[in-house]
Amino acid sequence: CEPGIVRAMMSMGVPYEEAVTCDIKGCYEYSVRAREVSLGQTYLNLAKFVLLALRNGRDERTGEQIGPQTGAPETFIAFGDLWKAFLRQTEHFIRRSLAVNDAFEPYIADVSPSNVFSATIENALQIKRDAYQNGSVYNNSVVLFTGFASAIDALMAVKMLVYEEKRVSLANLLTALDANWSGYERLRAYALRCPHKYGNGDGETDRYARALATYLTNRINARPNARGGYYKTAMHSARQYIDQGQKTGATPDGRKGGDLICEHYSPTPGNAKNGPTAVIQSAAKADLKRGCASSPLYL
């Protein structure tokens, strides 16, 4: 994927000569050799934001009002109303998370000084400063989005079951989710068999996936951080697809509460029915060079 990596890095102001000789680090990330530090403390669960949009900002597990009031579900006359509520929930948590990150990052070198790592960063040696204390040339931050496919699958299930086929009302669907699908096995079967799943080359699903990916990167990429650098976007979940899944209630795509959510930029496990070519076709619909940190795709 080197051509895509080079384009992604150049879109964030890295010259070609540095982008083409970048290093692969961590799990799947890439950075300017000996000149970049990119911190990633922020993991945002997109599947959770779908549930908050369906409950007017209230957490499905605690009942607390943790998101903005984006409309009671009975006011969602069309699917577009839910889509807009979902994006508003997402925007709210992006803003909150970046504010927390900006307050924390200036102290990262005090919390976790990195003397040995700093010795590999030429600029840090020249200015005699920890690489995490603005010692690098590129002092960037990464926002990692989790549950991308899970969120898309959940939204498309609502679109089909509630607004197109009218198989269930939104209120009754929420009742089924509150019951963790217990007693609603037939409805869950319809949700699981919804043909609009990310990773199958389905045109309608991929249009929403592309729109969501564009929305996220537009909100994140090139925003200044608190260390003289910029924010970058990643569809990279690490093990949060397990940990955050355990804290996420049942979702409209048929997933039960506590189950894992999708990993990275990959389809939800078991949902890619049309083979690896269809997975690649779905993923490639988005402008991947805008995922400027890492967006791993498992086939």
Side-chain angles (χ1 to χ4, degrees):
C1 298
E2 285 187 9
I5 290 173
V6 169
R7 291 194 298 271
M9 297 185 77
M10 291 182 68
S11 73
M12 293 294 289
V14 177
Y16 173 79
E17 292 74 19
E18 292 182 331
V20 79
T21 58
C22 71
D23 285 330
I24 304 299
K25 65 186 180 75
C27 300
Y28 313 92
E29 303 90 332
Y30 39 88
S31 63
V32 180
R33 178 173 296 172
R35 291 166 67 84
E36 180 178 1
V37 171
S38 288
L39 301 177
Q41 289 88 232
T42 305
Y43 290 85
L44 296 181
N45 181 355
L46 296 166
K48 186 80 170 184
F49 302 156
V50 174
L51 296 182
L52 289 170
L54 287 169
R55 291 176 171 84
N56 203 12
R58 290 190 176 275
D59 185 273
E60 79 281 358
R61 298 168 71 242
T62 67
E64 294 182 53
Q65 187 76 40
I66 63 172
Q69 293 185 355
T70 50
E74 58 267 21
T75 67
F76 295 162
I77 305 302
F79 175 73
D81 298 325
L82 173 59
W83 175 252
K84 287 184 285 188
F86 164 67
L87 295 183
R88 285 183 59 195
Q89 294 290 340
T90 303
E91 173 70 15
H92 171 78
F93 284 97
I94 287 174
R95 290 180 180 275
R96 285 187 59 184
S97 298
L98 295 190
V100 171
N101 203 62
D102 286 342
F104 166 74
E105 280 202 352
Y107 303 97
I108 188 69
D110 298 320
V111 175
S112 182
S114 301
N115 298 333
V116 175
F117 172 71
S118 296
T120 70
I121 303 296
E122 182 179 359
N123 192 69
L125 294 175
Q126 291 175 344
I127 66 176
K128 301 178 178 65
R129 186 180 299 170
D130 191 282
Y132 286 96
Q133 194 68 45
N134 300 9
S136 184
V137 175
Y138 302 98
N139 301 287
N140 297 323
S141 306
V142 181
V143 177
L144 303 102
F145 289 99
T146 66
F148 179 84
S150 297
I152 291 296
D153 291 349
L155 289 164
M156 297 308 293
V158 175
K159 186 174 187 292
M160 186 187 79
L161 295 174
V162 176
Y163 294 101
E164 294 177 350
E165 296 185 354
K166 302 188 185 306
R167 195 174 294 275
V168 63
S169 68
L170 193 54
N172 286 341
L173 177 60
L174 290 177
T175 301
L177 298 183
D178 289 338
N180 202 22
W181 295 106
S182 178
Y184 295 87
E185 287 76 14
R186 185 178 180 85
L187 179 61
R188 181 177 182 238
Y190 282 119
L192 290 171
R193 291 201 301 268
C194 174
H196 304 298
K197 305 283 191 185
Y198 171 77
N200 290 289
D202 177 68
E204 183 178 8
T205 305
D206 292 347
R207 281 193 292 273
Y208 278 98
R210 179 185 175 92
L212 177 57
T214 301
Y215 180 88
L216 299 175
T217 54
N218 284 346
R219 293 300 184 275
I220 299 297
N221 286 354
R223 289 180 64 153
N225 66 7
R227 297 182 300 113
Y230 296 100
Y231 280 100
K232 302 192 292 185
T233 310
M235 303 295 183
H236 185 165
S237 63
R239 62 166 285 120
Q240 292 301 319
Y241 72 102
I242 300 172
D243 297 341
Q244 290 187 344
Q246 292 173 345
K247 301 174 183 178
T248 303
T251 45
D253 56 334
R255 174 189 154 277
K256 288 194 172 184
D259 288 353
L260 56 80
I261 53 179
C262 68
E263 191 172 3
H264 305 309
Y265 192 49
S266 308
T268 304
N271 282 355
K273 306 291 188 182
N274 295 336
T277 302
V279 174
I280 294 171
Q281 288 174 338
S282 289
K285 296 288 179 61
D287 189 357
L288 293 181
K289 73 176 183 293
R290 297 178 60 82
C292 293
S294 63
S295 298
L297 179 67
Y298 290 173
L299 300 180

